[in-house]
């Protein structure tokens, strides 16, 4: 049974899901259908992943009801201006083939674009929440300064902030801000795209627990209270990554994994303060 976390707007989100970043569109439907068979009921996609259509197709083709699946998508970086964001959100719903998403996020703050204005973009997401087409709204890759700016200038507190986090980059300052302000943290690249799995400490914890490296790292996230959605195209890894709820890490193992933090050098993705990428 996957635990559900309550968001600040009263909706709940399954703590474990399935990410589809870098799954090529032609493979996505098959991967999502397999994940549904394994038991995943939460899918994380984005307009920029180019596979929203296939995520929607798989869910609609499955025998699982839409209402039993939690679906997140994210705004394309090129569409932050309010009218563009409205058009992009309609396209997301059309491509998914749904009349609502459970969660819609600003994918990146892009502080060097749009005159640094992500607040008007956020107000546009508030419209989607008001009209019910996005049950919850949130942000991704927001640093503390970006969250402070929203707190000063907007009405709604984001329900989630989806940020890079794993044992080599624990990202605790942003997580602590979220905890203090009722924003749930979602950890992207939770196993650092596989980069932490060969670590001697991770392997020692895994050996001690009789689990795999991926399982102990994902369990560490779960016990920290974050939402995770590891990506895999391998059916056996889908099962492996799903089996996290019949064991518990003790304090010593939790501390050992947290102690792997390398700070900023542990970050694998772009720094949100400097990232101003718009797809062609
Ligand atoms: P993950 O940390 O989930 O790692 C995925 C990689 O690890 C793949 O190469 C996969 O290979 C491999 N893998 C998965 N499970 C195992 C396992 N049990 N043992 C060994 N290797 C494994 O990386 P992602 O970057 O995909 O992050 C997860 C999700 O987070 C994304 O899919 C996306 O939804 C979201 N995300 C959001 C971002 C944002 O800016 N908001 C940025 C990046 C990600 P294989 O498929 O071959 O099994």
């Amino acid at each position: 049974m996957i635990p559900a976390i309550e968001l600040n707007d009263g909706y709940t989100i399954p703590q474990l899901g399935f990410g589809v970043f870098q799954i090529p569109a032609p493979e996505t439907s098959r991967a999502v259908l397999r994940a549904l068979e394994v038991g995943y009921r939460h899918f994380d996609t984005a307009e920029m992943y180019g596979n929203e259509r296939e995520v929607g197709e798989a869910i609609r083709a499955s025998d699982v009801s839409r209402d039993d699946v939690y679906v997140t998508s994210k705004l394309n970086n090129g569409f932050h201006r309010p009218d563009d964001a409205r058009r992009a959100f309609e396209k997301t719903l059309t491509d998914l083939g749904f009349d609502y998403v459970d969660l819609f996020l600003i994918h990146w703050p892009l502080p060097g674009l749009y005159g640094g204005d992500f607040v008007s973009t956020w107000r546009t997401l508030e419209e989607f929440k008001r009209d019910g087409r996005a049950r919850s709204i949130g942000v991704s890759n927001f640093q503390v300064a970006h969250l402070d700016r929203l707190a000063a200038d907007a009405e709604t507190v984001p329900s989630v902030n989806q940020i890079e986090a794993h044992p080599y980059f624990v990202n605790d300052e942003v997580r602590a801000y979220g905890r203090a302000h009722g924003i749930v943290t979602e950890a992207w690249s939770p196993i650092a795209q596989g980069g932490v799995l060969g670590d001697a400490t991770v392997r020692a914890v895994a050996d001690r627990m009789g689990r795999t490296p991926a399982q102990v790292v994902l369990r560490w996230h779960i016990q920290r209270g974050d939402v995770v959605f590891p990506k895999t195209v391998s059916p056996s890894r889908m099962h492996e990554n799903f089996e996290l709820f019949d064991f518990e890490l003790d304090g010593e193992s939790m501390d050992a994994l947290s102690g792997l933090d390398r700070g900023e050098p542990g970050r694998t993705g772009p720094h949100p303060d400097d990232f101003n990428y718009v797809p062609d």
Side-chain angles (χ1 to χ4, degrees):
M1 184 70 185
I2 307 297
I5 294 188
E6 187 168 346
L7 303 176
N8 59 13
D9 61 2
Y11 285 105
T12 56
I13 183 168
Q15 197 179 2
L16 175 66
F18 185 83
V20 298
F21 176 45
Q22 292 176 324
I23 304 186
E27 289 175 42
T28 300
S29 288
R30 194 176 42 197
V32 170
L33 275 166
R34 286 209 170 123
L36 284 163
E37 281 164 24
V38 171
Y40 291 89
R41 294 291 181 269
H42 168 183
F43 295 89
D44 184 88
T45 184
E47 208 282 333
M48 288 193 290
Y49 301 168
N51 55 17
E52 287 171 306
R53 189 180 297 278
E54 291 73 17
V55 169
E57 269 169 17
I59 293 169
R60 281 182 280 108
S62 76
D63 52 14
V64 180
S65 145
R66 164 68 185 98
D67 287 340
D68 293 334
V69 184
Y70 194 97
V71 179
T72 299
S73 195
K74 317 186 191 86
L75 181 66
N76 185 307
N77 287 353
F79 294 78
H80 273 214
R81 290 201 180 86
D83 277 347
D84 293 339
R86 290 182 192 109
R87 267 199 306 277
F89 182 61
E90 269 166 31
K91 182 171 181 308
T92 281
L93 290 178
T94 303
D95 285 353
L96 284 166
F98 297 154
D99 52 13
Y100 71 95
V101 286
D102 295 276
L103 179 62
F104 194 65
L105 308 180
I106 299 181
H107 205 147
W108 289 88
L110 308 174
L113 295 179
Y114 307 105
D117 169 29
F118 45 76
V119 176
S120 64
T121 314
W122 178 249
R123 292 209 181 101
T124 311
L125 265 65
E126 290 178 329
E127 290 172 20
F128 307 154
K129 178 160 176 63
R130 271 198 301 277
D131 69 26
R133 291 181 302 158
R135 290 202 166 156
S136 299
I137 52 175
V139 294
S140 177
N141 298 301
F142 272 46
Q143 298 283 89
V144 167
H146 307 134
L147 295 167
D148 268 340
R149 168 109 178 266
L150 281 189
D153 294 344
E155 274 174 36
T156 318
V157 177
S159 288
V160 312
N161 186 19
Q162 183 177 128
I163 55 173
E164 179 176 350
H166 45 74
Y168 286 163
F169 182 59
V170 301
N171 215 344
D172 276 347
E173 188 195 347
V174 183
R175 292 179 66 255
Y177 184 102
R179 212 169 27 253
H181 293 85
I183 303 168
V184 168
T185 295
E186 298 188 322
W188 64 249
S189 292
I191 55 173
Q193 299 201 337
V196 296
L197 303 183
D199 186 278
T201 301
V202 172
R203 288 188 164 272
V205 172
D207 287 349
R208 199 161 60 237
M209 299 301 299
R211 295 285 170 157
T212 68
Q215 286 174 328
V216 296
V217 172
L218 294 168
R219 179 70 204 183
W220 170 83
H221 285 286
I222 296 288
Q223 288 182 214
R224 275 159 52 96
D226 293 352
V227 174
V228 281
F229 23 78
K231 169 265 172 187
T232 181
V233 290
S234 143
S236 67
R237 287 175 175 173
M238 288 178 198
H239 282 282
E240 177 184 339
N241 298 346
F242 197 72
E243 283 155 19
L244 308 178
F245 300 99
D246 58 347
F247 73 105
E248 199 168 331
L249 299 177
D250 60 16
E252 194 186 326
S253 299
M254 288 296 292
D255 290 347
L257 296 180
S258 302
L260 295 175
D261 184 31
R262 298 172 175 176
E264 276 299 328
R267 193 190 279 280
T268 64
H271 194 298
D273 285 344
D274 310 323
F275 188 65
N276 294 297
Y277 162 82
V278 168
D280 292 337

